[in-house]
Amino acid sequence: MSDLRPEDIALLDLARAGHEPSETDRVRVRKALAASLGAGAGLSVTTATSAAGAGAPATATSRLLGVGKVLGAAAILVGTLGGGVSIYHAVRGPQPLAHPAKTEALRDRLVEAPSPRSNASPPDRGARASPVGGITPSDRIGATDDLLGDVRPKASTNLGPTMAPLAGSAQSRSAAPAGLHSASTPAACPSPPAWKANAPGGESPPGARDAPTMLESAPVAARLLETPLAPAEPTTIEAETRLVRSALQARRAGDGARALRLLDEYALAYPNGVLGEEGAAERVFVLCDLGRIQEARAASAEFMRTWPRSMLSERVRASCAARANP
Amino acid sequence: MTALRPALDAAAASLEARQDVADPLAFANVYEEQFAFVWRSACRLGVDPAHRDDVVQETFVVFHSRLPEFEGRSSVKTWLFGILVNVVRAHQRTFRKRHARRPPAAAGPDPETVVDTSAGPHEYAARAEAARLVTQLVAGLDDDKRAVFVLAELEQMSAPDIALALGVPLNTVYSRLRLARQEFAAAAARHRARDEWRIG
């Protein structure tokens, strides 16, 4: 079940290709990274030769910068471990710059080597193929009943023998009827308590977790799928939009009384509606059109108090309510 | 014998370099393969364009320092994203402290720098605008939901991979994703409604 409407999905599809970095971005960050990680001398970001020819002070500076970066990173790890992502649980204190010799070679390669990357994105290790703009609703997590279809063996994830039968279940699922995701897919559904055993608090480091353990939570997902998790929120949004839009159209048509009635109806039906801000602003405009200045002023004050940073505040301020103020 | 030394060293270095090129876990290869992913994820997670270089760089620095511990239980991509999330959170904490009174600007892509490989100018502009809008809408989600939403809806990553990347149980991923979709849909509806109001 997806809570996204077709227009939302179309927007996401379109946006997916809009965040790609340019080659300039790639080169710029590569150079900065080479300088940061470069334990070698000189910090030249043009050629390895010139980097090697630089003096000792620069070497010391680069090492300090590199170590500083790593220490800073370690601080980030420690600071953010509380309840969030916990890859860094294994941090055992500040570490020196890793592999100085390798780092220097790396810097040289980063600076000098032409990018092996072609225009097409390289395949990600173990990641599902991401066809830009080519996603269909059935590809989306939870968009259909395909949730467990995502649990499939991947070459890079070292899943071990536990995963082997999954290939079969993944292949056979296309022939299965919708809603079959239950404990009847045995390979994907070992016992869920493994989560608790291996991940106290539910937040253990990915690096420390065995992939099969993670997969053992699949029954949980299956149960979630079988249980209607959410009310029909999109319907609510659509209904809200329809109601407020009707009020807008009524006002534009000169039927202020009907517009006000619709806004009252909206406020009653959706006291915490997502379009409450728009509805409140529209109420000010309607009251102005009806010549009910005092009420418009009160509605305006209420609007500004509730949504002081609203994008509609300029229009509300420019309404009759503001002009009526002494 | 001593005359052979430089040649032997060169051959050894060349062999090592070739091994690194072949090794998908060699840092340089990881950088080339995953840079775009880390970059756009930083953008989608709301990193201000002025700080995006720093965040991406920091992510790879952390990755480099932790690379020896990588055991292949998750993909490099999911591991990197886990690092990125932490780096972004730390960055945003610092940023919010410094600019407590000023809401962070929507960190959408600069239309001038959006890369497009095939589309015409109209499609190009539409993608840039859509990316900007989505970034703005996603910025309204809280950190946890935003991370799940970005990976699921924009990176099209599977739920188990997201669970690995974020270090949370699978059911948490589904739960956050469901809520994130609802909030995104609501924000998109608001945006469309506001567009009508502006025109009106």
Side-chain angles (χ1 to χ4, degrees):
Chain A
M1 181 179 65
S2 173
D3 294 299
L4 297 175
R5 290 179 295 175
E7 54 264 43
D8 300 329
I9 293 170
L11 175 67
L12 290 167
D13 287 344
L14 196 57
R16 207 166 284 124
H19 288 105
E20 292 296 321
S22 66
E23 190 57 32
T24 311
D25 296 328
R26 178 186 294 272
V27 172
R28 186 179 64 251
V29 176
R30 183 197 296 148
K31 284 181 177 176
L33 193 55
S36 174
L37 290 174
L43 295 179
S44 166
V45 291
T46 51
T47 66
T49 311
S50 60
T59 305
T61 307
S62 85
R63 282 182 186 279
L64 277 173
L65 282 172
V67 172
K69 273 277 186 188
V70 174
L71 286 175
I76 289 170
L77 308 183
V78 172
T80 55
L81 276 180
V85 183
S86 44
I87 285 176
Y88 311 117
H89 273 215
V91 171
R92 290 177 287 275
Q95 298 186 350
L97 193 61
H99 315 305
K102 268 197 154 188
T103 303
E104 188 165 356
L106 160 73
R107 173 179 52 78
D108 293 346
R109 282 203 305 282
L110 280 171
V111 170
E112 280 199 320
S115 166
R117 177 180 174 273
S118 64
N119 281 340
S121 296
D124 293 313
R125 285 166 51 88
R128 189 176 60 171
S130 299
V132 173
I135 186 173
T136 61
S138 63
D139 291 329
R140 307 166 66 79
I141 298 174
T144 63
D145 301 307
D146 253 0
L147 272 173
L148 294 186
D150 290 323
V151 186
R152 58 188 71 142
K154 292 178 296 182
S156 65
T157 47
N158 192 19
L159 296 175
T162 315
M163 280 298 295
L166 256 185
S169 66
Q171 284 166 356
S172 62
R173 73 187 160 77
S174 60
L180 87 164
H181 303 298
S182 64
S184 64
T185 48
C189 307
S191 63
W195 264 118
K196 290 174 185 170
N198 285 355
E203 306 264 345
S204 75
R209 179 183 299 150
D210 292 333
T213 305
M214 197 278 299
L215 290 165
E216 284 168 6
S217 65
V220 178
R223 282 199 300 275
L224 284 170
L225 280 176
E226 290 166 348
T227 310
L229 282 173
E233 289 295 337
T235 311
T236 302
I237 294 166
E238 284 164 12
E240 284 190 51
T241 306
R242 201 177 307 122
L243 202 49
V244 179
R245 187 181 290 157
S246 299
L248 172 69
Q249 287 166 348
R251 176 173 67 84
R252 286 177 183 168
D255 191 351
R258 179 165 182 270
L260 201 57
R261 207 164 47 245
L262 287 166
L263 289 173
D264 286 342
E265 187 183 331
Y266 174 79
L268 198 63
Y270 306 102
N272 298 310
V274 294
L275 294 177
E277 186 179 335
E278 286 71 21
E282 185 61 22
R283 176 179 295 278
V284 176
F285 307 144
V286 170
L287 289 169
C288 282
D289 286 359
L290 291 172
R292 294 156 66 171
I293 307 301
Q294 290 300 327
E295 290 174 69
R297 194 184 298 170
S300 170
E302 176 66 23
F303 179 89
M304 299 306 291
R305 192 164 45 246
T306 311
W307 294 284
R309 293 180 180 178
S310 169
M311 294 170 71
L312 295 165
S313 57
E314 283 301 315
R315 291 189 61 194
V316 171
R317 266 195 287 268
S319 71
C320 72
R323 287 197 299 271
N325 280 329
Chain B
M1 189 66 184
T2 51
L4 284 176
R5 187 62 177 254
L8 286 172
D9 287 346
S14 170
L15 180 63
E16 188 183 346
R18 241 177 276 153
Q19 283 170 341
D20 281 353
V21 167
D23 179 7
L25 278 180
F27 182 82
N29 294 340
V30 170
Y31 176 83
E32 292 302 334
E33 286 186 8
Q34 303 296 344
F35 171 77
F37 165 69
V38 174
W39 176 273
R40 60 179 182 255
S41 296
C43 176
R44 290 163 176 171
L45 290 175
V47 175
D48 189 271
H51 301 101
R52 201 172 299 148
D53 277 20
D54 288 344
V55 166
V56 172
Q57 189 185 338
E58 192 75 20
T59 300
F60 278 106
V61 167
V62 172
F63 176 81
H64 179 260
S65 69
R66 309 303 303 172
L67 192 52
E69 296 170 19
F70 182 68
E71 296 175 356
R73 287 175 176 169
S74 64
S75 73
V76 169
K77 188 175 183 178
T78 57
W79 209 54
L80 262 172
F81 191 83
I83 294 171
L84 174 66
V85 165
N86 269 348
V87 171
V88 169
R89 283 179 180 167
H91 165 77
Q92 287 175 338
R93 260 200 310 274
T94 308
F95 187 83
R96 282 169 191 157
K97 275 182 191 168
R98 285 180 190 163
H99 307 275
R101 290 184 164 274
R102 194 179 65 186
D110 179 357
E112 296 298 320
T113 62
V114 170
V115 172
D116 190 272
T117 54
S118 61
H122 295 298
E123 181 76 2
Y124 175 93
R127 286 182 183 175
E129 175 59 21
R132 186 197 61 75
L133 175 57
V134 165
T135 305
Q136 182 186 324
L137 297 176
V138 166
L141 303 175
D142 69 35
D143 291 347
D144 291 337
K145 290 199 276 283
R146 188 187 306 126
V148 171
F149 188 84
V150 164
L151 286 180
E153 296 297 343
L154 295 170
E155 289 298 328
Q156 298 175 260
M157 198 180 276
S158 71
D161 277 350
I162 297 171
L164 275 175
L166 301 177
V168 298
L170 191 59
N171 56 353
T172 302
V173 170
Y174 288 124
S175 166
R176 287 180 186 172
L177 181 58
R178 178 174 54 79
L179 293 172
R181 281 172 173 165
Q182 289 172 5
E183 289 180 24
F184 181 87
R190 288 172 65 96
H191 176 82
R192 279 187 281 271
R194 281 172 180 164
D195 263 2
E196 287 187 16
W197 260 261
R198 279 195 210 102
I199 293 167

